[in-house]
Amino acid sequence: MRKFAILLVTAVALTLGTASAQSFSAQYDTTQYAGGAIGLPITGYYGVSDLLFEGSDLRFRVGFMPFWLSSVTVGADILFPLATLDDAGDFNLYAGGGPSLGFGLGIFGGFYGDLTGVVGVDYRINDQLSVFGEGGVGVAFRSAAGVGGVGVAPRGALGVLFHF
């Protein structure tokens, strides 16, 4: 447990010091967004800009892995902008990460937790709509029969966000 606590504190400190975000909302006069993504896992999102820090987003997520890997997870990410990739400010690079907790329902049944980091790009189509792609990796902790212990936690998503 002590090693887990040290790893968690270190990862959070690194996440806060690096970057991430879909916090491009300020130029469009929106502060919240919701949406979904296909990927690893299939995920629904709700985010708020500038809630914790200026220029950051706090994004909550609920994910589901279908089929024989069935699991349900809930998590949160702190995201920070890294760079604007065009002159208009519509195409943004972001990074961040956060923890997830879940429960496996399939052959990997049992409790699950992870701490992951992500890097992504977001393209703002108009005031209310953006599309994004992101990928990341982290450390997972499982209590599943036969596959318990520490492992790798991959993440990836292609999605759409509605801003309000």
Side-chain angles (χ1 to χ4, degrees):
M1 188 65 178
R2 183 175 182 213
K3 289 180 182 180
F4 175 73
I6 292 169
L7 179 63
L8 181 63
V9 169
T10 302
V12 169
L14 289 173
T15 299
L16 293 176
T18 58
S20 143
Q22 293 163 333
S23 66
F24 38 73
S25 299
Q27 85 183 60
Y28 293 98
D29 196 29
T30 60
T31 59
Q32 300 175 58
Y33 53 88
I38 57 171
L40 189 62
I42 297 169
T43 307
Y45 298 98
Y46 171 75
V48 180
S49 297
D50 299 329
L51 185 63
L52 297 175
F53 311 104
E54 184 71 29
S56 70
D57 287 7
L58 177 60
R59 181 177 73 178
F60 300 96
R61 54 190 156 74
V62 175
F64 174 72
M65 279 288 240
F67 311 117
W68 59 277
L69 291 173
S70 293
S71 66
V72 176
T73 60
V74 295
D77 295 315
I78 297 175
L79 303 173
F80 298 92
L82 292 177
T84 301
L85 303 175
D86 67 343
D87 291 337
D90 295 331
F91 195 55
N92 296 286
L93 179 66
Y94 65 91
S100 299
L101 294 174
F103 185 79
L105 307 170
I107 62 171
F108 298 124
F111 292 101
Y112 172 84
D114 70 31
L115 187 59
T116 57
V118 294
V119 174
V121 293
D122 183 89
Y123 179 71
R124 190 74 175 245
I125 296 171
N126 59 36
D127 288 355
Q128 284 80 36
L129 187 65
S130 68
V131 293
F132 72 97
E134 66 183 29
V137 68
V139 177
F141 306 92
R142 294 180 179 86
S143 69
V147 293
V150 177
V152 175
R155 277 177 54 188
L158 292 173
V160 176
L161 298 174
F162 300 95
H163 301 265
F164 48 97

